[in-house]
Amino acid sequence: MSPQSTIVLVLLAIVLTLALAAGITAAALARWDNASIPAAITRAGIAFASTLSLGIAFTALLVSTWP
């Protein structure tokens, strides 16, 4: 395995961890705000998806600029 592919895998693992943390935090804050469980899950899904999309876009941009 080349060093670049290792870096990409580590970056994707970090992005996934941050997206999961954002989703869990959004769900917790929604429940704390007395939202229903389906509403909290919806907010968590939106936060997870948006964080994951931005993280993968940033990773793709980083990979595309490598020499």
Side-chain angles (χ1 to χ4, degrees):
M1 187 179 292
S2 68
Q4 288 181 342
S5 60
T6 304
I7 292 172
V8 170
L9 289 175
V10 169
L11 284 174
L12 290 177
I14 291 170
V15 166
L16 183 62
T17 303
L18 288 174
L20 284 172
I24 290 169
T25 304
L29 288 174
R31 285 296 293 159
W32 191 30
D33 197 29
N34 293 326
S36 64
I37 291 176
I41 292 172
T42 301
R43 290 180 192 176
I46 292 169
F48 174 78
S50 61
T51 306
L52 192 64
S53 297
L54 286 174
I56 289 177
F58 176 72
T59 304
L61 177 67
L62 185 67
V63 168
S64 68
T65 59
W66 278 347

